[in-house]
């Protein structure tokens, strides 16, 4: 989910929560307080979801690296960057 999409969804959700709690309690300040609490819970959940996505990508990349045997490239398998740099220096 992209951040602008999350931001619109979170804003709509908070407006619905604000209206719902105001209709239930009749107090603007109490509904504003509960809406603030709901915003903190939504933001914490979004942060945890992003952390889990990042952790999932790094752990799957680590598993992919462990499954392949370590291979040292031979002299003819190099990409030539070091050779090009050394030829320009000397």
């Amino acid at each position: 989910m992209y951040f602008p999409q999350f931001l619109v969804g979170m804003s709509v959700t908070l407006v619905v929560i604000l209206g719902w709690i105001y209709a239930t309690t009749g107090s603007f300040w109490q509904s504003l307080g509960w809406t603030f609490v709901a915003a903190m819970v939504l933001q914490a959940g979004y942060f945890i979801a992003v952390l889990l996505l990042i952790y999932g990508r790094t752990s799957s990349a680590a598993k992919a690296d462990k499954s392949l045997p370590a291979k040292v490239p031979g002299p003819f398998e190099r990409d030539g960057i070091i050779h090009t740099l050394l030829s320009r220096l000397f």
Side-chain angles (χ1 to χ4, degrees):
M1 177 182 285
Y2 297 105
F3 182 71
Q5 184 181 7
F6 167 75
L7 198 58
V8 169
M10 187 176 85
S11 299
V12 169
T13 303
L14 291 176
V15 167
V16 168
I17 289 172
L18 180 72
W20 184 8
I21 294 177
Y22 181 74
T24 303
T25 63
S27 170
F28 175 75
W29 295 108
Q30 192 174 8
S31 61
L32 195 63
W34 279 109
T35 304
F36 179 76
V37 170
M40 293 297 109
V41 169
L42 284 172
Q43 190 64 31
Y46 183 73
F47 182 73
I48 290 169
V50 169
L51 285 179
L52 290 175
L53 285 173
I54 292 171
Y55 176 74
R57 286 185 182 171
T58 57
S59 64
S60 65
K63 288 178 186 176
D65 287 344
K66 289 180 183 178
S67 65
L68 296 175
K71 180 184 173 194
V72 178
F76 297 110
E77 295 174 357
R78 294 189 184 126
D79 57 3
I81 293 175
I82 294 176
H83 177 69
T84 305
L85 289 174
L86 288 176
S87 66
R88 288 184 185 173
L89 290 175
F90 298 109

